[in-house]
Amino acid sequence: RNRSKQNQAGAMATKRTETDTDTEWGRAIEKPGLDAENDAARSNDPVSQTIDIAIVGGGLVGLSVAIGLLKKMPELNVKIYERAPELRSQSQGILAIHPNGMNALNAIDPEIPKRVHEVGCERHIRTITNINADGTVKDTVLDTKGDLSGKFGQVAVGITWHNCQQVLASLVPMKDENIVTSHSLSHFVEGDKSVLLFFENGSTVKARILLACDGVFSVARRQLYPNESPIWFGQLNWGTVIKTSELPPNLHEKNGVHYFQHHGDPLWMSMLNDGGSGYTFWQFRVSDPEKSRELSGNNGRGGLGLPGVKEKLLRIAKESCGIVASAIEAIPESAIFERSIVGQSSLPTWLSPLGRVALVGDSAHGCHPNIAQGANSAFESAAAIVKVLCEEKESLVSALKLYESSRKPRADLVQNSANALGVSQASGTQIFDKDVAVDMMDWIRRGKDPMEHPPPQAVIEMLEHFDPLEAKGVSRLWSHKTEDI
């Protein structure tokens, strides 16, 4: 079924090029909602910049790619175009960088893991509290430091999203010149020798290649696949990053993660994580499409500081878990960010028809966050594209082809495994046997090439027939606006 869907997607891409608009730059894929004649006319607009490599998206992946390219190929003109007016000084999210992600960052620049360790915190202890429908509670404490260091020679590191972005931005050479803010991509026009990037502010940039690092709601991905949208797993998530000193004491261990799983109605999970630098990350996730919308402060569309959300979540937590309830009580409602849990389905190709545009990171293989591999897999892709561009600098288009052929098999396996385990969390059903899931996670964290070191056969066989959209409560999220989720 997955193969047939990929074939359909490939046919769709072929059909799309038949109705492309001819311009002096080549074939311009029509963007939904735009007038094709106006697109063609805009191809004659003055070009504000001409560069070698345009990176769209100043998030973690875009910054990582820029660090590697600017340090290893300083002769190239590389720019990052970020839609926000400035990089973040605060956030409501956290990431756990596992051994595969840390190894990828080290390959880009050994200074990155060093700085991440300084700002973030190592994950040493994981406490899992299972709350059954009958009210019985079971705690399990895991030595994650000993487990990961014994298997991989290093541990996972937790770091808040904004701190990670600031670390990466500080390592971008000439960052004030090479990170261009307030540039939101409208669409691109691809030619035989270059790509024209059109931004919402009216500026136009000409580049030899475009690297779309603009996340799960990628503008470039939508242009390449206009009939596809992200997958919603039927879950809503509420979270924040807060100073640990503002919370009641002892909600989590130092260097620890406290994970709560409620198996009653509604099905929910919560986490309290040490985020390093004096911060704690809290989240609360409900796995039921209808109940999620009932709890939402914006009919499931998400947002920051939505009125009434805190009271609703507190009511649920008080019924079954005092620790989570005490955390919610201490968090200002204005700091709680609501979002849908989304991912992407695998694509037949990450490249544009003429091969000058490549999807990188979440834009290519965004996945359910359950196994904390979204950022790690994205860092692997960043390292892969830096490597091939350095090796094939005489032909950037050839480098993008090599990037896809060398990176996509593993990224697809990680993406599909994450989505499968995400469906398991969302539905409360077990898809993989526990031992198989552990073996798969070990394979992912080792960063192995599936051609040389295949993952567990049971995983491969299960994924052959897995389609997240066939699971109960899972659907396409048809809105592409990031402010809507």
Side-chain angles (χ1 to χ4, degrees), residues 262 265-266 268 284 286 295 311-321:
H262 180 255
D265 185 14
W268 62 261
F284 193 95
V286 173
L295 294 169
E311 180 182 352
K312 294 176 184 177
L313 299 182
L314 188 56
R315 190 182 308 127
I316 293 174
K318 280 183 174 180
E319 293 177 354
S320 49
C321 185

Side-chain angles (χ1 to χ4, degrees), residues 86-212:
E86 60 185 13
L87 301 186
R88 297 190 197 181
S89 58
Q90 61 181 18
S91 62
Q92 283 75 41
I94 196 171
L95 58 148
I97 306 180
H98 287 273
N100 57 309
M102 203 64 79
N103 290 336
L105 292 174
N106 186 69
I108 294 170
D109 182 358
E111 188 66 20
I112 301 176
K114 178 183 175 183
R115 298 278 187 91
V116 167
H117 273 89
E118 291 172 353
V119 177
C121 74
E122 292 188 349
R123 295 278 179 88
H124 292 175
I125 299 173
R126 187 182 191 197
T127 303
I128 302 173
T129 298
N130 280 291
I131 307 164
N132 298 316
D134 61 5
T136 57
V137 176
K138 180 181 179 181
D139 287 335
T140 304
V141 180
L142 303 176
D143 175 14
T144 53
K145 179 181 180 180
D147 180 48
L148 293 184
S149 61
K151 290 179 178 177
F152 315 110
Q154 55 182 310
V155 299
V157 176
I159 183 171
T160 62
W161 200 98
H162 69 278
N163 275 338
C164 191
Q165 187 186 46
Q166 292 295 331
V167 163
L168 293 169
S170 71
L171 294 172
V172 175
M174 301 176 64
K175 68 174 184 177
D176 292 338
E177 177 181 331
N178 292 321
I179 302 176
V180 184
T181 56
S182 299
H183 274 63
S184 178
L185 182 68
S186 167
H187 63 292
F188 63 85
V189 175
E190 183 182 31
D192 293 331
K193 296 182 179 180
S194 60
V195 183
L196 278 181
L197 288 73
F198 295 95
F199 293 94
E200 299 288 356
N201 62 9
S203 63
T204 305
V205 172
K206 178 182 177 182
R208 292 167 64 189
I209 60 171
L210 162 60
L211 305 181

Side-chain angles (χ1 to χ4, degrees), residues 2 5 231-233 343-346 368 415-416 418-420 422-423 431 463 465-476:
N2 283 345
K5 289 192 175 185
I231 297 169
W232 180 45
F233 288 89
Q344 294 281 17
S345 52
S346 57
H368 191 285
Q415 178 187 34
N416 291 329
N419 286 345
V423 166
I431 292 180
L463 293 179
H465 306 286
F466 172 72
D467 181 352
L469 291 169
E470 293 183 354
K472 182 180 179 181
V474 179
S475 62
R476 288 285 184 190

Side-chain angles (χ1 to χ4, degrees), residues 98-101 103 152 367 371-374 376-377 380 407 410-419 421 432 436-449 453-456 459 463:
H98 287 273
N100 57 309
N103 290 336
F152 315 110
C367 60
I371 62 173
Q373 278 297 316
N376 291 280
S377 189
E380 287 189 44
R407 173 71 186 125
R410 172 174 163 82
D412 283 352
L413 277 169
V414 174
Q415 178 187 34
N416 291 329
S417 296
N419 286 345
L421 290 168
F432 290 134
V436 172
V438 170
D439 289 344
M440 185 61 186
M441 287 304 305
D442 286 351
W443 180 85
I444 291 173
R445 289 168 177 158
R446 287 192 176 95
K448 295 297 186 181
D449 183 331
H453 304 277
V459 174
L463 293 179

